Amino acid sequence: MAELDADWQWNVLHHLGESVGTASMVEAFATDASRARRMTLDAAGVTLDFSKQRLDDSALSALYSLAETQGFEAARRAMFAGDVVNQSEGRAAWHVALRRPADDPLYQPVHDERARIRDIADAVRSGDWQGYTGRAITDVVSIGIGGSDFGPRLVTEALAETRSSGPRAHFVANVDPADLNAALTGLDPATTLFVVISKTFTTAETLANAHAAKAWLLADGASESDVNRHFVAVSSNGEAVADFGIERMVGFWDWVGGRFSLWSSVGLPIALALGMETFDALLAGAHAMDNHFETADLGNNLPANLALISVWNRNILGLTSNVVVPYSQRLAHLPGFLQQLSMESNGKSVTVDGDPAAHATEPAIWGSVGTNAQHAYFQMLHQGDLLANVDFILPLATADSTDVERERQRLANCLAQAEALMCGRGPDETGSDDPAIAAARACPGNRPSNMLVLPRLDAYHLGALLAAYEHKVFVEGIVWGINSFDQWGVELGKTLAKQLVTDIADPANAAAHDGSTASLIQRAARAGG
Ligand code: F6P
């Protein structure tokens, strides 16, 4: 029955797409003075203005009905209860438990582990934690990749301006030695602490970099027994950490997915560089968004609306790109973070039952900071034939907001791009009578965007924003009927890479591969691989 209902609702949506989805947004504003107000939602200090989307109340209510039919209520309840929602791995996805306040825990070990992070952060920041020559730690180098890198890197760099004391943070993910070499340049091994982050502690890139970092420390004169003064591991695999030779470990659980893990011990670099108060504020913002997401009905639910707008754009308007453009230099890592969060979660084409997905799923997520992006691909967004949605992320103030003139430019540029995408410019508004020139200058407009506004770029609002996107991804997965919490596609490449390391070292077995790969193995081997 639910399936029939869903089919019917998809038909309704496609039908609306032909009218509402092609209607002029400018005209919709002209005939509805309350559009901006009605299509704006606030939650945990974050504002979502989606009035520049090509939809109306009828489309929204059809989307809400579809989400209900697809089991939104039950799925949301299951996620908050810590039930198994990651079916293919038989696990919960209980990241909401990680940001609960200590006086209202869902799972006490989360708070015990948080206390250990606090102890480490306090010891390092106060200077009590000393390197092998007895000096305080000045630099923390975080080694991890994917979900064990994006989150702490994004937050630490986004809030770097609020850092008043404590060690400097550096992040290394790439197995290309250039990454670690660049991070270590100018650092003193005797005052450097490595935080090796890996849920599995089997990720080849992370282990290779950790071994190289250890060699760098030993080459400075430290002994094997000094290693523990310079290495902390964050993992859920205590055995592998012990095998590596690291004694100090903070842990987390198999129900914390890598891309949802920054709220766990994986956030240690944030606490080290910015202090535990900042990490606590981040968690508090995310928790406030969780409370909103858990209790708000669909019509008022900010993350759910973000998701259903995405479903409308992807499935009804046929958009294949979602462009993320933060108008804050400090959020330069946000598009990369959201790429993993969205595409590793929902880049799938089979349903939880193993059937081919009946509807298109994840669009490509890409983007970079405004205003720079305006001087790169915005030309295509305004006049190209690829219709894309843009998520503008606009902190109204940042810790750098001291130069009023440049701040106004930052804000104005963001608003201008959204306005230009929607309003466009007709040939008769171009100032040219020459039809060819007028056509070249005209912008079609009616191009959709969301505006996500933060009153200020601080830990609380950043936490709320990131949690909103996590829940958005979850709701998209519910509507598409896919498991947002596994990543089997990534595994195949990892397995093949392992074999290829051996085959490049000894190309005798190259012929076991396809012709192209075999020939590339030979080339790599000849080049000294
Ligand atoms: O990229 C694939 C992935 O499995 C991610 O899900 C994860 O965040 C990343 O690898 C790192 O894994 P680990 O934390 O186990 O090193």
Side-chain angles (χ1 to χ4, degrees):
M1 189 62 191
E3 224 165 86
L4 283 182
D5 285 351
D7 286 347
W8 187 77
Q9 280 152 350
W10 279 113
N11 284 338
V12 170
L13 283 164
H14 282 295
H15 187 70
L16 286 170
E18 285 163 21
S19 50
V20 176
T22 56
S24 157
M25 288 188 276
V26 170
E27 278 171 29
F29 273 102
T31 55
D32 177 2
S34 66
R35 183 176 170 93
R37 180 179 49 75
R38 283 187 302 101
M39 293 192 174
T40 296
L41 291 170
D42 293 291
V46 175
T47 299
L48 165 65
D49 174 351
F50 59 97
S51 59
K52 295 195 193 75
Q53 290 290 340
R54 278 162 44 171
L55 38 63
D56 68 359
D57 293 341
S58 64
L60 286 168
S61 58
L63 287 163
Y64 301 152
S65 300
L66 176 66
E68 271 159 19
T69 304
Q70 292 296 86
F72 168 74
E73 291 282 353
R76 179 174 61 170
R77 218 175 308 119
M79 186 186 69
F80 275 91
D83 294 349
V84 171
V85 290
N86 173 358
Q87 298 83 358
S88 73
E89 296 181 310
R91 290 174 184 165
W94 212 20
H95 37 281
V96 294
L98 299 170
R99 35 243 199 177
R100 287 289 281 229
D103 57 3
D104 187 18
L106 272 177
Y107 186 64
Q108 185 52 40
V110 163
H111 302 278
D112 300 341
E113 224 48 32
R114 209 185 287 168
R116 300 186 58 218
I117 297 175
R118 187 183 305 276
D119 289 346
I120 295 173
D122 288 350
V124 170
R125 291 173 61 78
S126 67
D128 288 351
W129 183 305
Q130 291 167 350
Y132 80 94
T133 61
R135 285 188 289 142
I137 299 297
T138 56
D139 294 89
V140 168
V141 179
S142 175
I143 298 177
I145 197 163
S148 295
D149 170 68
F150 286 124
R153 185 194 291 259
L154 161 65
V155 173
T156 305
E157 298 198 0
L159 304 175
E161 188 60 23
T162 63
R163 176 178 162 267
S164 52
S165 61
R168 289 176 292 266
H170 314 265
F171 292 85
V172 175
N174 201 329
V175 75
D176 181 341
D179 200 11
L180 182 65
N181 291 348
L184 298 184
T185 301
L187 302 196
D188 179 350
T191 61
T192 298
L193 176 68
F194 292 97
V195 180
V196 185
I197 309 179
S198 175
K199 179 177 172 181
T200 56
F201 227 77
T202 57
T203 300
E205 296 95 322
T206 299
L207 293 189
N209 279 328
H211 280 294
K214 185 172 163 185
W216 178 76
L217 174 71
L218 297 179
D220 189 59
S223 68
E224 282 286 345
S225 62
D226 293 325
V227 166
N228 281 298
R229 300 171 77 158
H230 292 271
F231 277 79
V232 177
V234 178
S235 183
S236 57
N237 185 351
E239 218 171 289
V241 169
D243 286 349
F244 184 92
I246 299 178
E247 280 167 17
R248 282 201 176 93
M249 180 186 116
V250 275
F252 57 111
W253 306 270
D254 70 354
W255 46 261
V256 183
R259 51 195 176 273
F260 300 90
S261 66
L262 88 102
W263 324 97
S264 70
S265 312
V266 170
L268 178 60
I270 303 169
L272 284 166
L274 305 176
M276 201 60 195
E277 313 70 47
T278 300
F279 191 48
D280 284 342
L282 184 84
L283 297 174
H287 176 61
M289 186 57 77
D290 293 342
N291 275 342
H292 162 80
F293 176 65
E294 186 180 14
T295 54
D297 59 33
L298 275 168
N300 293 305
N301 199 307
L302 188 155
N305 276 271
L306 203 50
L308 295 171
I309 291 163
S310 162
V311 168
W312 172 263
N313 284 335
R314 179 74 185 104
N315 298 107
I316 309 303
L317 302 190
L319 273 49
T320 53
S321 274
N322 194 24
V323 189
V324 178
V325 186
Y327 271 74
S328 160
Q329 184 61 33
R330 298 206 175 272
L331 290 176
H333 293 295
L334 182 64
F337 174 87
L338 292 180
Q339 279 181 326
Q340 189 206 21
L341 177 64
S342 310
M343 296 201 277
E344 200 167 84
S345 296
N346 288 340
K348 292 159 193 172
S349 44
V350 291
T351 66
V352 280
D353 300 322
D355 299 322
H359 305 275
T361 58
E362 183 61 28
I365 306 283
W366 51 278
S368 54
V369 287
T371 57
N372 310 18
Q374 291 167 217
H375 300 273
Y377 49 79
F378 262 73
Q379 162 60 34
M380 185 187 82
L381 297 178
H382 288 296
Q383 288 189 309
D385 63 2
L386 179 121
L387 183 64
N389 174 66
V390 182
D391 278 3
F392 290 100
I393 315 289
L394 182 62
L396 295 179
T398 72
D400 308 273
S401 301
T402 46
D403 179 340
V404 174
E405 185 47 40
R406 279 186 294 161
E407 274 299 275
R408 272 194 202 129
Q409 283 198 33
R410 181 176 68 81
L411 302 175
N413 270 288
C414 181
L415 302 188
Q417 294 305 315
E419 189 172 29
L421 283 168
M422 181 177 77
C423 299
R425 176 169 60 182
D428 53 338
E429 297 169 299
T430 59
S432 175
D433 294 333
D434 180 326
I437 293 176
R441 289 182 183 172
C443 291
N446 218 25
R447 302 194 162 202
S449 66
N450 288 315
M451 184 68 68
L452 283 136
V453 182
L454 311 185
R456 184 172 186 81
L457 181 57
D458 58 17
Y460 182 90
H461 294 102
L462 183 58
L465 178 75
L466 301 183
Y469 270 107
E470 288 181 349
H471 297 318
K472 172 207 174 188
V473 163
F474 173 58
V475 176
E476 286 175 324
I478 297 168
V479 174
W480 290 327
I482 57 181
N483 177 358
S484 301
F485 300 112
D486 60 10
Q487 58 283 320
W488 293 103
V490 182
E491 301 306 324
L492 175 61
K494 281 188 189 175
T495 311
L496 292 181
K498 218 177 211 176
Q499 180 58 43
L500 279 161
V501 168
T502 312
D503 294 345
I504 291 170
D506 177 9
N509 291 326
H513 296 265
D514 64 86
S516 165
T517 309
S519 134
L520 292 167
I521 290 172
Q522 300 289 2
R523 271 176 196 270
R526 278 198 301 274

